[in-house]
Amino acid sequence: MEVLHTNNEGNQVLNLSRLHLFELNLDQIEDGQRNRVQRLYLTYNSIAFFPSSVCLLPNLEYLDISNNAISVLSDDITRLTNLKTFVAKNNNLDETSFPKFFGSMQNLQTLNFSGNRFREIPVQFLKLSRLQSLSLGGNRLKGIPAEIEHLTRLEMLYLGGNMISSIPPELANLGQLRCLVLCDNCIQSVPPQLSRLHSLLSLSLHNNLLKFLPREILSLVHLQELSLRGNPLVVRFVKDMTYNPPSLLELAGRTIKSRNVLYLPSDLPASLSHYLDTASKCPNPKCAGVYFDSCVRHIKFVDFCGKFRLPLMDYLCSPECTSPCGCNPQSHGESEGEGDVPATRLQRVLLGSPLSCNRFGEAGLGLLT
Amino acid sequence: MEQAGLVKPETLDGLIKILHKIFENDIINVEEVQNIMEAYASKPQEWMKFAKFDQYRYTRNLVDEGNGKFNLMILCWGEGHGSSIHDHTDSHCFLKLLQGQLKETLFEWPDRKAHGDMVQKSQRILKETNSIGLHRVENVSHTECAVSLHLYSPPFSHCQTFDQRTGHRNTVRMTFWSKFGERTKLFNSFVIRENRHSA
């Protein structure tokens, strides 16, 4: 059967898709040819058990077993030491389907297990230190483990269409991440640390439960695509009604910090010394204040590229304080929140030159609303 | 007015020839164009060279310029990729799915003075469509890519996009990711990895 051929890139491809196969029989392919097979397609068959004979292809770099009925992967898959790309969409896989030492397959760069039954990301995946692209779209993930930060080479993370309710701040340690897809989940807030994803070009958050974004999102200066539609984003200024007055401890701490009262660690119990270290500076540049636990959430509307108004959230040290955009939250009332600093200038400062164009040829951010 | 008849386009090239003939006339029969588009049976090996995907967003790939009377293009939608709400600047838009599925949401035109959410008219999964008016098109699949064939007549280079929450509109310039199978050079400085294949 002439299913073994060389493709345009010079790879030896074995294409056994759509053949009503229940298993993989390599008898027709002699040893010499087996050693040359670099890519194997077994998609759209009726395979229920992962065919161990796949492991008879020692130089396999690309394996696609999508659209079968596989629920478990045999241990000898780890013999495919040259495997770089493993695609198994639309099967019956979950986090228990993988051999214990799957994490030892250190050449793996791309994994696509979308359309399966994962409830969590398997721990073995988090050991794949060379992984560049991970897709688990359309599964049943409830969350993202903090250990995701171990995948330091990750450039693409597709987790759309799951049941994720929060994003761990450790995700921000993925310094090479370019594309983050979290659409169609149940995410209620975005951790401000995500602003550290300095390589991020595309952030997909549509169809979640976001009411606002952290102000820090504006520091993602390379961001070209940001999708936010289908979120219950606050449209009008909302004054936070749950301001808790500061405790005596907090007031004392604020005084010490803002007046630069000198102290040595030996002057205080360790717990108080540690508490003083947790002071956060109020983002208002005109305010030298700090806060500890008691702060006001202030939602400021920022014009993105002069086109769309995004509700961004700031923490301020008190209701009397004002945001860095120079506006007093108490004076808003019914207004949409125009700052003293023109929003367009803010955009230019944070998003670079107004002449920087995205792929669509339009200045600024390709914002999907 | 000579009709192209009930010829079924056997190939993509055949479709293009028939379209050229239809558009030689000044008056175009919308139904005729619709039928011809519908009759073409998608053969991936014929359009694969135009189907260039991008990791971050959908791409527009020009196939034929229709002697200035129409533009025929192939759009490639990765998982989760969608368009903004847009119009077609008084042009007719014919759309046919070549692979995968797309969801279309039609919207009412927002009143220029009104604020607040735009009103949805209807939603459906597309096979073919011929629409005028506002819509958002999206690939809602998290596992499959989608490829669609679009014909716009007359061709247009600008359109309006709309903010769904407020109805505010913007004019944007449309660009092509590739023309006639060749990647166009735009402002990108980073490498796009194409890890897709239309199998």
Side-chain angles (χ1 to χ4, degrees):
Chain A
M1 47 180 178
E2 192 49 82
V3 291
L4 184 56
H5 66 275
T6 307
N7 69 6
N8 293 337
E9 281 90 45
N11 299 127
Q12 284 288 313
V13 177
L14 182 52
N15 190 343
L16 296 171
S17 294
R18 300 179 197 264
L19 292 173
H20 308 288
L21 296 176
F22 292 92
E23 53 175 21
L24 175 64
N25 191 328
L26 292 176
D27 290 349
Q28 304 261 345
I29 304 185
E30 43 147 28
D31 272 347
Q33 281 180 316
R34 286 186 205 171
N35 288 342
R36 286 198 296 272
V37 175
Q38 290 166 299
R39 296 169 78 104
L40 172 60
Y41 294 91
L42 274 168
T43 64
Y44 292 97
N45 283 298
S46 311
I47 300 173
F49 300 102
F50 182 78
S52 299
S53 46
V54 172
C55 312
L56 297 176
L57 306 169
N59 290 311
L60 200 64
E61 292 180 5
Y62 183 108
L63 175 61
D64 189 347
I65 53 172
S66 300
N67 294 92
N68 281 286
I70 299 169
S71 51
V72 77
L73 300 173
S74 57
D75 282 0
D76 29 270
I77 196 172
T78 54
R79 285 164 50 191
L80 295 172
T81 51
N82 290 308
L83 199 63
K84 288 197 189 133
T85 301
F86 188 7
V87 182
K89 304 187 294 184
N90 300 321
N91 279 283
N92 300 332
L93 298 168
D94 65 23
E95 63 278 6
T96 63
S97 308
F98 291 80
K100 190 164 157 207
F101 296 110
F102 187 77
S104 68
M105 298 183 70
Q106 286 295 312
N107 278 323
L108 281 173
Q109 291 177 1
T110 301
L111 289 181
N112 186 339
F113 296 118
S114 53
N116 281 285
R117 300 178 183 181
F118 289 85
R119 285 154 298 194
E120 52 183 66
I121 300 181
V123 291
Q124 298 95 316
F125 286 16
L126 304 169
K127 299 204 168 81
L128 299 169
S129 51
R130 296 213 194 113
L131 205 61
Q132 291 175 13
S133 175
L134 175 60
S135 178
L136 282 163
N139 279 282
R140 302 168 192 180
L141 296 176
K142 296 206 213 64
I144 306 169
E147 292 80 7
I148 195 96
E149 59 178 349
H150 295 160
L151 300 177
T152 51
R153 307 259 182 107
L154 208 60
E155 293 177 16
M156 150 74 135
L157 182 58
Y158 191 114
L159 297 175
N162 281 286
M163 298 174 334
I164 297 169
S165 54
S166 70
I167 306 171
E170 289 81 1
L171 191 64
N173 294 330
L174 298 177
Q176 309 214 13
L177 199 64
R178 292 203 192 165
C179 182
L180 178 57
V181 180
L182 292 166
C183 58
D184 293 294
N185 277 291
C186 325
I187 298 169
Q188 295 180 27
S189 69
V190 172
Q193 292 88 339
L194 284 206
S195 57
R196 293 205 332 254
L197 292 171
H198 45 82
S199 300
L200 204 63
L201 299 172
S202 174
L203 177 57
S204 169
L205 287 167
H206 57 271
N207 299 332
N208 274 289
L209 300 171
L210 296 170
K211 296 213 177 74
F212 45 71
L213 297 174
R215 190 175 190 287
E216 289 81 356
I217 208 104
L218 289 176
S219 351
L220 289 171
V221 291
H222 297 298
L223 203 61
Q224 294 198 358
E225 307 292 337
L226 172 62
S227 66
L228 287 169
R229 56 192 159 81
N231 280 286
L233 292 177
V234 172
V235 178
R236 304 185 65 79
F237 172 76
V238 170
K239 195 165 170 186
D240 190 2
M241 302 302 285
T242 61
Y243 173 59
N244 293 315
S247 59
L248 289 175
L249 173 64
E250 167 120 18
L251 287 173
R254 288 190 184 198
T255 307
I256 292 169
K257 282 288 173 182
S258 57
R259 302 220 184 148
N260 279 319
V261 173
L262 294 173
Y263 63 92
L264 295 168
S266 51
D267 294 332
L268 301 169
S271 58
L272 287 183
S273 187
H274 176 74
Y275 177 80
L276 287 173
D277 288 341
T278 65
S280 304
K281 279 177 63 59
C282 180
N284 178 8
K286 295 184 195 141
C287 171
V290 300
Y291 63 90
F292 292 84
D293 304 303
S294 172
C295 54
V296 180
R297 279 191 324 186
H298 169 231
I299 295 181
K300 170 91 188 81
F301 287 91
V302 176
D303 262 346
F304 245 55
C305 325
K307 293 176 209 160
F308 310 109
R309 323 203 82 204
L310 286 190
L312 300 180
M313 191 184 70
D314 250 328
Y315 284 109
L316 301 172
C317 64
S318 81
E320 280 73 44
C321 199
T322 57
S323 85
C325 301
C327 75
N328 187 336
Q330 286 182 327
S331 69
H332 278 158
E334 292 291 287
S335 83
E336 290 280 24
E338 303 288 354
D340 291 332
V341 176
T344 48
R345 197 178 112 200
L346 181 70
Q347 167 247 321
R348 205 174 300 140
V349 164
L350 291 166
L351 294 177
S353 147
L355 292 175
S356 65
C357 288
N358 69 1
R359 229 165 283 104
F360 227 42
E362 51 172 331
L365 204 68
L367 191 65
L368 285 179
T369 52
Chain B
M1 180 169 75
E2 191 197 278
Q3 271 207 356
L6 299 158
V7 181
K8 179 180 146 86
E10 293 295 326
T11 63
L12 183 60
D13 280 338
L15 172 67
I16 294 172
K17 283 197 175 68
I18 295 173
L19 287 170
H20 273 254
K21 209 148 169 60
I22 293 177
F23 279 89
E24 267 167 17
N25 302 312
D26 283 333
I27 301 170
I28 311 301
N29 183 336
V30 164
E31 226 182 275
E32 195 184 2
V33 178
Q34 178 88 0
N35 290 339
I36 288 295
M37 292 277 282
E38 232 165 291
Y40 166 64
S42 165
K43 292 197 193 102
Q45 59 266 37
E46 288 175 358
W47 47 257
M48 217 146 54
K49 68 173 194 230
F50 302 107
K52 298 181 187 310
F53 284 84
D54 177 38
Q55 197 167 69
Y56 307 110
R57 58 172 305 147
Y58 74 95
T59 61
R60 307 170 79 241
N61 303 279
L62 184 63
V63 175
D64 191 87
E65 273 177 322
N67 284 335
K69 297 267 193 90
F70 65 85
N71 269 352
L72 187 69
M73 62 191 77
I74 280 177
L75 270 59
C76 296
W77 312 76
E79 294 90 328
H81 289 179
S83 76
S84 45
I85 302 173
H86 59 276
D87 69 355
H88 305 102
T89 318
D90 301 328
S91 291
H92 252 100
C93 159
F94 301 88
L95 189 164
K96 181 200 170 73
L97 259 298
L98 297 176
Q99 178 180 300
Q101 283 190 335
L102 289 173
K103 181 170 105 170
E104 178 192 40
T105 309
L106 294 173
F107 288 86
E108 301 277 2
W109 277 88
D111 199 334
R112 276 197 191 259
K113 293 210 192 97
H115 290 286
D117 286 66
M118 283 175 69
V119 178
Q120 287 186 28
K121 272 203 314 202
S122 63
Q123 266 191 357
R124 55 186 175 150
I125 304 292
L126 292 180
K127 280 268 162 3
E128 287 99 14
T129 186
N130 152 32
S131 63
I132 313 180
L134 296 183
H135 69 175
R136 185 198 300 287
V137 180
E138 354 169 30
N139 177 13
V140 293
S141 173
H142 297 291
T143 58
E144 315 303 329
C145 307
V147 180
S148 51
L149 183 67
H150 297 237
L151 188 151
Y152 298 105
S153 178
F156 59 93
S157 58
H158 290 77
C159 73
Q160 297 187 95
T161 62
F162 295 78
D163 179 343
Q164 186 170 352
R165 288 178 304 130
T166 60
H168 286 142
R169 67 190 75 190
N170 253 314
T171 301
V172 297
R173 187 165 69 86
M174 329 277 302
T175 57
F176 288 111
W177 185 254
S178 75
K179 288 188 184 180
F180 318 114
E182 297 289 324
R183 176 85 176 87
T184 53
K185 297 240 180 319
L186 278 176
F187 305 93
N188 317 305
S189 54
F190 50 89
V191 173
I192 311 292
R193 193 175 317 120
E194 286 173 66
N195 55 353
R196 305 190 194 288
H197 50 278
S198 47

